[in-house]
């Protein structure tokens, strides 16, 4: 398992797709007010290095002990949403709309996903000012899976998706959405 600082420097991938303008203290303050939460300092460390975008292939998966609709043994992390409103890229600021649109629990902040599946900072157990856990949400299957106790632990568990065996005969994840892990409340 990698240490947090080992992942932080080479975390971001090539390209500028999804990258928001450089993060400022004022933007963080505004986001926290809009979202009604205190964002974890470890999460903000990443966004201060680069405010969202593609994740390097070395860190684009998080292993799981149970199957999800994505894979038998991991969930993807190909992008991280930043904070801002640049070129119509999704942002943490879109969380309230996306939570309502996809029927997700309200005390979360989405930071990666495609609509069908999301990874979020989960404030349900800690409250809006606490240290959130990280949870995988399958909106289509109405299921969720706790991934890590906090963002730092999540980062330290990241690995390359290529280290996992291909799930389907074509080397891609299965197309059926099926395995429920826990119901969303």
């Amino acid at each position: 398992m990698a240490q947090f600082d080992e992942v932080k420097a080479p975390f971001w991938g090539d390209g500028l797709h999804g990258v928001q303008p450089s993060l400022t203290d004022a933007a963080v303050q505004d986001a926290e007010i809009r979202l009604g939460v205190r964002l974890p300092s470890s999460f903000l460390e990443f966004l201060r290095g680069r405010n969202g975008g593609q994740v390097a292939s070395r860190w684009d998966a998080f292993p799981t002990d149970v199957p999800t609709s994505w894979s038998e043994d991991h969930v993807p992390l190909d992008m991280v949403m930043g904070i801002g409103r640049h070129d119509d890229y999704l942002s943490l600021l879109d969380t309230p709309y996306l939570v309502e649109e996809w029927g997700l629990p309200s005390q979360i902040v989405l930071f990666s996903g495609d609509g069908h599946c999301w990874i979020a900072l989960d404030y349900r157990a800690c409250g809006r000012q606490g240290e959130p856990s990280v949870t995988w949400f399958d909106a289509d299957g109405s299921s969720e899976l706790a991934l890590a106790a906090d963002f730092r632990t999540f980062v330290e568990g990241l690995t390359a998706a290529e280290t996992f065996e291909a799930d389907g005969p074509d080397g891609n994840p299965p197309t059926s959405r099926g395995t429920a892990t826990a119901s969303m409340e």
Side-chain angles (χ1 to χ4, degrees):
M1 185 178 337
Q3 294 298 310
F4 185 80
D5 288 333
E6 292 175 77
V7 178
K8 190 170 64 169
F11 181 74
W12 299 106
D14 296 331
L16 298 177
H17 179 76
V19 178
Q20 300 288 340
S22 294
L23 193 60
T24 64
D25 290 341
V28 170
Q29 219 173 24
D30 179 60
E32 290 180 332
I33 290 167
R34 287 177 187 233
L35 297 169
V37 299
R38 183 187 53 79
L39 294 168
S41 60
S42 57
F43 184 74
L44 293 173
E45 276 185 58
F46 272 75
L47 294 186
R48 289 187 195 291
R50 185 163 100 178
N51 194 6
Q54 294 176 292
V55 173
S57 61
R58 184 174 171 195
W59 313 111
D60 64 354
F62 189 88
T64 62
D65 292 332
V66 297
T68 67
S69 60
W70 176 261
S71 168
E72 292 294 313
D73 54 10
H74 71 283
V75 296
L77 180 73
D78 57 345
M79 299 277 294
V80 170
M81 293 187 280
I83 297 172
R85 294 279 184 217
H86 180 65
D87 289 343
D88 295 324
Y89 295 138
L90 282 179
S91 160
L92 265 66
L93 301 177
D94 294 310
T95 292
Y97 164 75
L98 295 168
V99 160
E100 184 176 333
E101 177 73 18
W102 291 97
L104 299 169
S106 63
Q107 289 185 318
I108 63 173
V109 173
L110 304 172
F111 69 85
S112 185
D114 67 358
H116 304 284
C117 299
W118 298 96
I119 300 175
L121 300 170
D122 189 345
Y123 289 85
R124 292 176 295 175
C126 68
R128 295 191 174 273
Q129 299 303 308
E131 186 70 25
S133 59
V134 176
T135 303
W136 161 267
F137 293 93
D138 179 339
D140 290 342
S142 297
S143 64
E144 64 184 74
L145 176 64
L147 299 176
D150 55 45
F151 186 74
R152 179 177 289 271
T153 305
F154 174 75
V155 166
E156 290 176 345
L158 291 171
T159 190
E162 68 186 22
T163 63
F164 298 95
E165 289 186 37
D167 296 308
D170 60 356
N172 291 315
T175 55
S176 64
R177 301 215 173 262
T179 307
T181 54
S183 260
M184 287 191 286
E185 296 175 13

